[in-house]
Amino acid sequence: MPDAIFADSRLAPIYDAFDGDRNDLTAYLGIADELGAQRVLDVGCGTGSFAILLADNGREVVGVDPAAASLEVAKSKDSTGRITWVHDDASKVPALGFDLAVMTGNVAQVFLADDDWNEALQASYTALRPGGHLVFEVRRPERRAWKDWAADSMPITLDVPGAGMVEQRREVTDVSLPFVSFRHTYRFLTDGKVVTSDSTIRFRGRAEVEASLTEVGYRVRDVREAPDRPGREYVFIAERPA
């Protein structure tokens, strides 16, 4: 079940405004260039920011997400219908011989159970052609990002097109490693409506992630720093062997 921040019909349309400048996606576009990927599967595509960027660069793209409200936002950006949008979870991605599968925005951390994570990895593996690649990021547990989140509790208020002034607050509600839970609270100042979204993510260390990839059959080609967040995240590049 997707979190309300992605699935609620009032929250999904304001997600991009609070998500800010997605300059993290530039690195992923560069990796797609590096790997010569023309057919790309965007797993957990959300509101479609990366899928649109890929399509703008001439690639064939399929975006998969379990949150219908987010997909509606994504489709609204794709006025010419260049992208295939699939409403489903990561364990059921289409097996269409992709050159590249991606999970941006720390999508990999929403899989809390090992079985769910392994299913997502296996589905991506099956979706790739032999020699294709899976690329994703995770936050480094040793960086303890949740401490920064807990210290940064000041509300943010934005004037969002179509929604008016909206206030966002974030609070960490539980730290029971490897799980961290937090809540986003949105107050729509035009009518006073308050909507909350509770989320839990899992922090996996580098060795654990590499082991899970190897178990499925991937070959880990590289583990990099996220160039826009040095020291905070790992970017994994794994290959389905030819």
Side-chain angles (χ1 to χ4, degrees):
M1 184 73 174
D3 300 337
I5 196 171
F6 309 115
D8 185 272
S9 60
R10 197 159 188 185
L11 295 187
I14 68 172
Y15 180 84
D16 287 346
F18 284 97
D19 204 29
D21 181 12
R22 293 301 308 275
N23 57 5
D24 61 302
L25 299 179
T26 303
Y28 281 93
L29 192 61
I31 292 173
D33 290 339
E34 175 187 337
L35 298 174
Q38 290 301 312
R39 304 187 70 233
V40 183
L41 175 67
D42 189 357
V43 180
C45 64
T47 58
S49 296
F50 190 48
I52 295 294
L53 184 60
L54 288 164
D56 285 346
N57 280 265
R59 291 179 168 86
E60 180 183 347
V61 186
V62 175
V64 178
D65 202 280
S70 290
L71 281 181
E72 287 304 309
V73 176
K75 291 175 184 178
S76 72
K77 303 175 184 178
D78 182 27
S79 59
T80 59
R82 299 168 297 168
I83 298 167
T84 300
W85 304 103
V86 179
H87 179 213
D88 217 328
D89 64 48
S91 68
K92 301 179 180 67
V93 298
L96 297 174
F98 292 96
D99 302 317
L100 175 65
V102 297
M103 288 186 273
T104 64
N106 295 289
V107 165
Q109 290 188 252
V110 306
F111 302 100
L112 305 183
D114 288 336
D115 286 348
D116 292 338
W117 174 232
N118 290 335
E119 282 183 9
L121 292 179
Q122 183 63 65
S124 297
Y125 186 95
T126 302
L128 292 168
R129 62 167 175 79
H133 294 84
L134 171 65
V135 178
F136 62 92
E137 66 190 38
V138 296
R139 298 178 181 90
R140 297 171 60 161
E142 62 271 22
R143 181 60 180 76
R144 299 174 180 263
W146 55 89
K147 289 193 171 184
D148 294 335
W149 301 339
D152 183 16
S153 59
M154 292 296 293
I156 299 171
T157 303
L158 299 177
D159 189 356
V160 183
M165 301 298 292
V166 183
E167 179 190 86
Q168 178 203 67
R169 290 179 178 269
R170 180 177 65 189
E171 60 179 317
V172 176
T173 55
D174 186 65
V175 178
S176 300
L177 296 178
F179 306 106
V180 175
S181 299
F182 50 93
R183 174 175 297 147
H184 286 95
T185 300
Y186 296 88
R187 185 161 65 96
F188 293 81
L189 303 187
T190 54
D191 60 7
K193 177 72 173 180
V194 175
V195 184
T196 61
S197 177
D198 291 302
S199 302
T200 299
I201 59 176
R202 178 168 176 169
F203 284 77
R204 293 179 173 89
R206 174 174 175 170
E208 183 180 2
V209 173
E210 290 193 32
S212 66
L213 288 165
T214 301
E215 182 179 352
V216 170
Y218 285 103
R219 181 171 61 207
V220 179
R221 278 193 49 183
D222 200 4
V223 183
R224 304 178 179 178
E225 295 274 5
D228 60 314
R229 287 155 288 179
R232 294 173 179 265
E233 300 191 358
Y234 292 121
V235 177
F236 288 84
I237 300 178
E239 180 182 16
R240 174 178 175 171

